[in-house]
Amino acid sequence: MLEPKHIREDMEVVSADGAHVGTVDGVKHDRIKLKKKDSGHPSVEGGSHEGHHHYLSIGLVAGVEGDTVRLSVTSANVANFLEEKDED
């Protein structure tokens, strides 16, 4: 099982089909916090939710390769798994 310590700030997050999803801002509990600058990216809900952080469950991570976090979901489905609220 992947441990959160393997995911570091500034790593690129890509979908299973290789599309850019975001950049890691940090890991909080069992979720990856993506940088705000990627919140308007087309793979993130069509770019309609700009200006705030998005979060992804670490359970969606298929693996870490170098400076890349690869998800187990495709770019067509990644928006279904994004969370917007920061829960403590």
Side-chain angles (χ1 to χ4, degrees), residues 13-15 17 19-22 34 38-48 74-80 82:
V13 180
V14 297
S15 62
D17 51 351
H20 176 83
V21 172
L34 301 177
D38 289 313
S39 65
H41 194 274
S43 65
V44 180
E45 299 188 32
S48 63
T74 64
S75 58
N77 294 313
V78 74
N80 296 325
L82 287 170

Side-chain angles (χ1 to χ4, degrees), residues 17-87:
D17 51 351
H20 176 83
V21 172
T23 306
V24 176
D25 194 26
V27 177
K28 188 170 185 177
H29 307 292
D30 62 345
R31 300 185 312 154
I32 300 169
K33 179 180 179 181
L34 301 177
K35 291 187 182 262
K36 285 183 185 179
K37 71 179 178 98
D38 289 313
S39 65
H41 194 274
S43 65
V44 180
E45 299 188 32
S48 63
H49 293 270
E50 295 185 45
H52 57 267
H53 293 283
H54 286 93
Y55 298 82
L56 288 166
S57 169
I58 287 181
L60 295 173
V61 176
V64 174
E65 305 160 4
D67 288 332
T68 303
V69 177
R70 185 168 302 278
L71 302 177
S72 60
V73 295
T74 64
S75 58
N77 294 313
V78 74
N80 296 325
F81 296 97
L82 287 170
E83 300 171 29
E84 296 183 23
K85 187 172 181 186
D86 183 11
E87 298 173 2

